[in-house]
Amino acid sequence: MRTLNGKLVLFVLAFLAALAAFWVGQMLRADHSSANRVHTLIHSQLDLDADQKARIAQLEEAFAGQRATLEGNLRTANAELAQAIDREHRYGPKVAQAIDKCHAAMGSLQKATLQHIFAIRAVLRPDQARRLDATVASALTDPATN
């Protein structure tokens, strides 16, 4: 009987870890899909002048390191969630704390990404900014990416 209970607990833990990984993957996939739409618009469809291209390139270079750090924080938070699930085997205080840390990491990444988009927006002409606004709004509300 102990072996059966142990296998059942192991199965439940593996299932929960897989579910958490799937959820995080969906969040990141949606973020990348939306980001790709915005990136394509900026670099292929806005007819940027040379000065705009140079200024946006500087913004993107600065943001790349910040984004990598924030994504690393999210991966760390997800690993801590998996460990908490493994330790508690239930929705206990360590799991709840780890979930809060995941949400904080995702929020920090989203805030930094929007700050980056607004910095790019400041480089654009009004007609270009309107197109960027429309693309961002569409990316955030499109059920296919959310």
Side-chain angles (χ1 to χ4, degrees), residues 11-31:
F11 173 78
V12 169
L13 288 176
F15 176 77
L16 289 173
L19 188 60
F22 175 76
W23 178 73
V24 169
Q26 291 298 100
M27 295 281 108
L28 292 175
R29 183 183 65 79
D31 181 52

Side-chain angles (χ1 to χ4, degrees), residues 6-145:
K7 287 181 182 180
L8 183 60
V9 167
L10 184 60
F11 173 78
V12 169
L13 288 176
F15 176 77
L16 289 173
L19 188 60
F22 175 76
W23 178 73
V24 169
Q26 291 298 100
M27 295 281 108
L28 292 175
R29 183 183 65 79
D31 181 52
H32 286 300
S33 177
S34 299
N36 286 338
R37 289 168 64 181
V38 173
H39 187 270
T40 299
L41 172 78
I42 292 168
H43 293 285
S44 301
Q45 300 170 4
L46 288 183
D47 192 31
L48 301 172
D49 63 35
D51 180 59
Q52 288 175 314
K53 287 178 184 178
R55 290 170 62 193
I56 289 171
Q58 288 177 335
L59 292 170
E60 288 182 336
E61 185 176 330
F63 182 61
Q66 181 184 17
R67 181 179 176 119
T69 298
L70 293 169
E71 287 176 343
N73 292 346
L74 181 56
R75 283 189 298 277
T76 298
N78 287 327
E80 290 175 12
L81 174 58
Q83 290 172 353
I85 290 169
D86 187 45
R87 279 191 297 252
E88 290 190 308
H89 307 288
R90 63 186 178 90
Y91 191 89
K94 290 191 185 315
V95 170
Q97 183 179 16
I99 289 171
D100 290 342
K101 189 170 182 178
C102 287
H103 289 172
M106 282 187 282
S108 294
L109 178 59
Q110 187 175 40
K111 288 174 187 176
T113 301
L114 287 173
Q115 289 169 346
H116 173 63
I117 288 172
F118 285 125
I120 289 173
R121 188 184 190 283
V123 173
L124 302 177
R125 296 184 315 262
D127 62 305
Q128 294 169 322
R130 282 190 297 275
R131 289 186 65 197
L132 177 65
D133 293 346
T135 300
V136 169
S138 174
L140 290 172
T141 58
D142 182 358
T145 59

